[in-house]
Amino acid sequence: LPGSIEVVWKTDLPSRGSVSWLDGQEWKRIEAPGRSTRHVVVIRDLQPDTVYQYRIHAPNNSVLASSSFRTAPSPGTDRRVHVDFMGDTRRSRKDVIKEMSQILEKDAPELLVHLGDFADRFGKPAEYDREFFRPFKNVLQSTPLYGVLGNHDATWRTGFADAFPAYVPDKKGRKAWYSFEYGPIHVTVLDTSSDFAKGSPQNKWLD
């Protein structure tokens, strides 16, 4: 949503946590709901196109991580937006992943879109951590990320569903295809593993 950002982090054991951010000269804070190993905090009412410093706190108030993020520009703005696309990071050699991470850090995109196939083998959450989140942590902690359900992610959904629950189809009608606005651009994500023939739900949605 415009004027908001979602901060997500994981812990080894179920616990509570919170996020603080610097709004002008004032540090504000919000608690993550409940005890969990996957923590989600949505910060709202932020100014567009603005850099904010933030910190992630453990229950004892110690700082687990600190970085900054930039909010999306206002819709309709005429300035250029720097977006990087990447994909198929599964089974990549360590030297290749390291080089990709360095390129992204140097490129410093405002928005990152992963086109699918984050990890492979059994698709467990630990593999997503090892093959994607940890190697790219420096850019991920300061760059908004959107994920796309790849064919390997769709085959083994446990890790993908743990990392990106909003993009996993469910019985309530949620689909893997979606779209979003980021400043002056509109991004449409299609699910090539689902029917796209004329008259199909995905085709009708796109029309």
Side-chain angles (χ1 to χ4, degrees):
L1 295 174
S4 67
I5 197 161
E6 185 177 79
V7 181
V8 183
W9 72 100
K10 296 180 69 176
T11 51
D12 292 333
L13 299 174
S15 64
R16 297 185 180 275
S18 61
V19 174
S20 62
W21 69 100
L22 185 60
D23 189 357
Q25 301 297 318
E26 178 186 1
W27 280 95
K28 297 182 178 180
R29 191 161 176 161
I30 186 171
E31 299 284 334
R35 293 173 57 88
S36 179
T37 56
R38 184 179 186 273
H39 311 267
V40 182
V41 164
V42 180
I43 305 174
R44 307 180 190 276
D45 300 322
L46 301 173
Q47 294 299 312
D49 208 359
T50 302
V51 175
Y52 290 88
Q53 297 177 30
Y54 77 95
R55 298 169 180 166
I56 295 175
H57 301 271
N60 62 3
N61 204 38
S62 62
V63 177
L64 299 177
S66 62
S67 188
S68 63
F69 59 81
R70 188 184 196 96
T71 52
S74 298
T77 184
D78 59 357
R79 83 164 178 82
R80 294 182 178 181
V81 174
H82 183 173
V83 184
D84 279 0
F85 293 85
M86 65 185 299
D88 211 353
T89 49
R90 66 187 184 91
R91 289 188 179 179
S92 295
R93 299 198 318 262
K94 290 183 178 180
D95 59 328
V96 174
I97 290 294
K98 183 178 180 180
E99 183 176 0
M100 290 175 64
S101 178
Q102 291 172 343
I103 290 172
L104 285 172
E105 290 179 48
K106 184 178 180 180
D107 204 34
E110 297 176 56
L111 175 67
L112 183 62
V113 180
H114 194 294
L115 301 176
D117 289 354
F118 289 80
D120 206 344
R121 302 181 182 90
F122 301 103
K124 295 180 179 179
E127 291 171 354
Y128 280 72
D129 291 341
R130 183 178 64 249
E131 297 185 24
F132 179 69
F133 287 107
R134 288 176 183 168
F136 295 100
K137 65 179 182 179
N138 289 341
V139 67
L140 293 175
Q141 65 184 0
S142 60
T143 310
L145 168 70
Y146 282 84
V148 179
L149 184 66
N151 63 311
H152 287 88
D153 302 312
T155 304
W156 299 293
R157 288 182 176 175
T158 54
F160 186 87
D162 179 74
F164 304 103
Y167 309 142
V168 178
D170 62 14
K171 295 181 180 180
K172 297 180 180 179
R174 185 174 59 208
K175 306 297 182 182
W177 58 83
Y178 65 96
S179 66
F180 64 93
E181 309 282 343
Y182 192 88
I185 65 174
H186 179 83
V187 179
T188 300
V189 174
L190 301 179
D191 180 13
T192 56
S193 63
S194 297
D195 186 10
F196 192 67
K198 187 175 182 179
S200 66
Q202 185 172 199
N203 187 276
K204 289 181 178 179
W205 171 82
L206 183 62
D207 287 342

